[in-house]
Amino acid sequence: MALSRLDIHRRNRGERTLVTLAGDIGPATTPLLRAALERCLLDGVTVIDIDLTTVGSCDARGLDVLLSASRRAGRVHACLRLHHPCAQITQLLAATGSTSLLLAAPVSLVPPTVPGDLMRTGTRAPGDPARRPGQPVLKDGIRLRPLTRWQAEDMREDLADLAAESVAGTPCEAYHDRGDFLHRLAVMAHRPGFALLVAETTVLVGCSFGFPVGPDGSGRRRFDGTLQESIQRLTSRARFVVLTQVVAYPHAQHRDIARRLQQRLLTDLHSSLGVALLHPADHAGQAAFSSWGWQNMGEVVGLPGLVTPCVLILPLEGLSPARR
């Protein structure tokens, strides 16, 4: 029997913190949750927002942890609020009379961001005419549009549908689960510098998102640091953008859509190199990326995780892979 897993990501804004949970709250994971909430209170946090968007279930013991943390918060003039619970958690709150104690009114969870956290919209992509900040890019009936974190949250289900439909019935489907997409988007959206770009006609036809890694203060995590060292050895570049997801719906112009999304995202994040990590057995995915201009550099060892990923790189147009 597989043990449940709960990923916990904390993001501070002064005396307020956003705790994003992903997984299940059960016997194996409640100690982690209890410790994380106790640490928030010990650090002097006065408002604890808990994002349950990617939590699948919560048992009575998990609810008791949340109630206990809420009572402790009240004793020190702080508060704890739950946001976006699934149907099972909503029913549990109602059955125990805890709804009014824990559940917050529907509001945006993301604390106020600094300008550098949002995707810049005024940067000119190569070959694009001058445009006002925020003005969409139109070409052949396809519009490229950056989304803020708030907009990404509102459109997350549509983006997940797009990701699932883009690989349905293909060999890539085994490596691209809809739930994994939602989890990845929720976690990556809290990365410093996170950016998301969509391609649209009358409907969504593509999206790409990622975050920068480099010597400018990012890349402090063990994963980022190890990846940065590996990419620097391969390309002689210490700064790059990890393109966590590139989706292009089967479309007459899908290669052009993917290429433009990638190039625009790199331009907007002021980076000349994109990096993607794929499962080594996802040969169809690697072939798709290769058709979009990516170069397969083989597997990278030493990164945390159970699987040694295959790394692909994408230099911005007109630049060689190794700029010395």
Side-chain angles (χ1 to χ4, degrees), residues 249-309:
Y249 186 78
H251 182 279
Q253 302 179 54
H254 74 96
R255 290 188 181 181
D256 182 57
I257 293 170
R259 180 185 61 79
R260 288 168 52 205
L261 282 168
Q262 296 161 172
Q263 297 288 335
R264 169 76 183 278
L265 196 58
L266 290 178
T267 300
D268 284 359
L269 289 177
H270 303 291
S271 178
S272 59
L273 181 69
V275 172
L277 302 175
L278 274 65
H279 194 290
D282 185 6
H283 301 299
Q286 295 173 33
F289 272 69
S290 295
S291 73
W292 298 336
W294 292 75
Q295 301 174 32
N296 194 326
M297 308 300 287
E299 297 180 11
V300 173
V301 298
L303 294 177
L306 300 177
V307 177
T308 300

Side-chain angles (χ1 to χ4, degrees), residues 8 10 29-43 65 69 72:
I8 302 175
R10 174 179 166 185
T29 58
T30 48
L32 294 174
L33 178 59
R34 180 184 293 108
L37 297 180
E38 288 177 351
R39 173 47 57 187
C40 289
L41 294 174
L42 289 173
D43 290 343
V65 169
R72 288 196 298 274

Side-chain angles (χ1 to χ4, degrees), residues 78-98:
C79 66
L80 179 148
R81 304 180 298 191
L82 304 182
H83 302 261
H84 304 311
C86 66
Q88 185 268 335
I89 297 177
T90 301
Q91 293 169 4
L92 180 62
L93 292 171
T96 57
S98 306

Side-chain angles (χ1 to χ4, degrees), residues 132-291:
R132 298 185 303 275
Q135 183 181 359
V137 182
L138 293 169
K139 178 185 176 185
D140 302 328
I142 297 171
R143 176 177 66 175
L144 300 187
R145 179 165 65 97
L147 302 185
T148 66
R149 288 184 175 131
W150 291 271
Q151 292 169 325
E153 167 67 18
D154 290 340
M155 292 185 62
R156 67 187 195 91
E157 295 295 337
D158 292 333
L159 295 171
D161 288 342
L162 170 69
E165 292 169 5
S166 68
V167 296
T170 72
C172 296
E173 189 172 13
Y175 304 98
H176 299 275
D177 179 77
R178 189 179 190 279
D180 289 341
F181 176 92
L182 286 171
H183 178 202
R184 191 179 308 115
L185 178 59
V187 173
M188 292 302 106
H190 299 293
R191 284 276 198 159
F194 168 81
L196 188 151
L197 190 67
V198 296
E200 303 168 313
T201 53
T202 56
V203 295
L204 282 173
V205 293
C207 74
S208 182
F209 59 85
F211 59 92
V213 172
D216 53 352
S218 59
R220 294 175 182 173
R221 306 181 186 192
R222 179 190 167 199
F223 178 90
D224 294 355
T226 304
L227 180 62
Q228 184 180 349
E229 292 175 1
S230 299
I231 298 303
Q232 190 166 9
R233 286 196 299 269
L234 288 171
T235 67
S236 299
R237 301 186 207 175
R239 189 182 190 282
F240 52 89
V241 170
V242 176
L243 277 83
T244 314
Q245 190 82 27
V246 180
V247 175
Y249 186 78
H251 182 279
Q253 302 179 54
H254 74 96
R255 290 188 181 181
D256 182 57
I257 293 170
R259 180 185 61 79
R260 288 168 52 205
L261 282 168
Q262 296 161 172
Q263 297 288 335
R264 169 76 183 278
L265 196 58
L266 290 178
T267 300
D268 284 359
L269 289 177
H270 303 291
S271 178
S272 59
L273 181 69
V275 172
L277 302 175
L278 274 65
H279 194 290
D282 185 6
H283 301 299
Q286 295 173 33
F289 272 69
S290 295
S291 73

